[in-house]
Amino acid sequence: MTTIEPGIRNGVRAVILREQQLLLLRKAYEDGSERYVLPGGAQDQGETLSEALQRECREEIGTEVMVSGLLYLADYFKPRTGQPDMIRQQLELLFLCEVPGDYVAQNGHAPDKHQAAVVWIAQDRLAQINLMPSDLSGVLSSADLNSHPVYLGEIKP
């Protein structure tokens, strides 16, 4: 039986594109596997969504971002690492962002656990990597990212 952790977490994510490449965190694990995720994380109590996104980007990618607007909302029932029968319910808010023109992909001062690097990946290669949540591959590789916000419903791990 699967248990949902109490409370719903707001997660903010930065969708950063440059020349049809998406900025992602590469996470490496002890078993040799790797995953890619959008920069971002949990909103802390008392923070606005924008403040949370700025803090997470400074920590993970080492720079402030310019937030252009909300792209997508999604429900995400995230399996808890090391707890196979536990799920965390999250509301994922994906924002279109820009980094300064001279930004070089690099880890920030407080990278995520298992964060090995910050990398640019071509949008047309997203289906070939282990992007988490996996449902985002199709959305981010082919979507018109200048469109209005879209509610994605539930996205799968």
Side-chain angles (χ1 to χ4, degrees):
M1 181 172 150
T2 302
T3 304
I4 297 179
E5 191 174 281
I8 299 173
R9 173 183 151 177
N10 287 339
V12 292
R13 308 285 170 209
V15 177
I16 302 167
L17 282 171
R18 181 187 282 170
E19 298 172 8
Q20 283 135 10
Q21 293 191 331
L22 186 63
L23 189 70
L24 298 170
L25 308 181
R26 183 176 65 80
K27 294 188 172 192
Y29 297 88
E30 293 79 13
D31 64 3
S33 66
E34 62 183 22
R35 294 181 189 156
Y36 294 83
V37 299
L38 292 169
Q43 178 185 26
D44 290 337
Q45 188 170 350
E47 275 185 324
T48 66
L49 295 170
S50 181
E51 289 168 344
L53 191 57
Q54 292 294 349
R55 175 184 49 76
E56 289 287 346
C57 286
R58 283 191 306 273
E59 291 173 359
E60 295 172 356
I61 66 171
T63 190
E64 296 270 331
V65 294
M66 287 73 67
V67 180
S68 298
L70 181 64
L71 280 175
Y72 302 113
L73 297 173
D75 289 303
Y76 183 38
F77 293 88
K78 182 180 180 182
R80 296 291 288 157
T81 306
Q83 300 174 30
D85 295 330
M86 182 70 76
I87 293 174
R88 171 182 279 159
Q89 184 177 358
Q90 296 182 185
L91 174 63
E92 293 286 301
L93 299 107
L94 283 66
F95 291 89
L96 184 61
C97 298
E98 292 180 41
V99 290
D102 61 351
Y103 175 74
V104 175
Q106 62 185 321
N107 282 342
H109 71 277
D112 274 357
K113 184 177 182 181
H114 302 291
Q115 182 177 325
V118 177
V119 296
W120 292 101
I121 301 285
Q123 279 182 283
D124 62 5
R125 287 198 51 237
L126 294 179
Q128 301 162 11
I129 63 171
N130 189 14
L131 179 65
M132 297 301 288
S134 60
D135 279 359
L136 291 180
S137 284
V139 172
L140 296 175
S141 64
S142 62
D144 173 9
L145 298 181
N146 293 313
S147 65
H148 57 82
V150 175
Y151 175 63
L152 295 177
E154 181 182 346
I155 55 176
K156 304 287 184 192

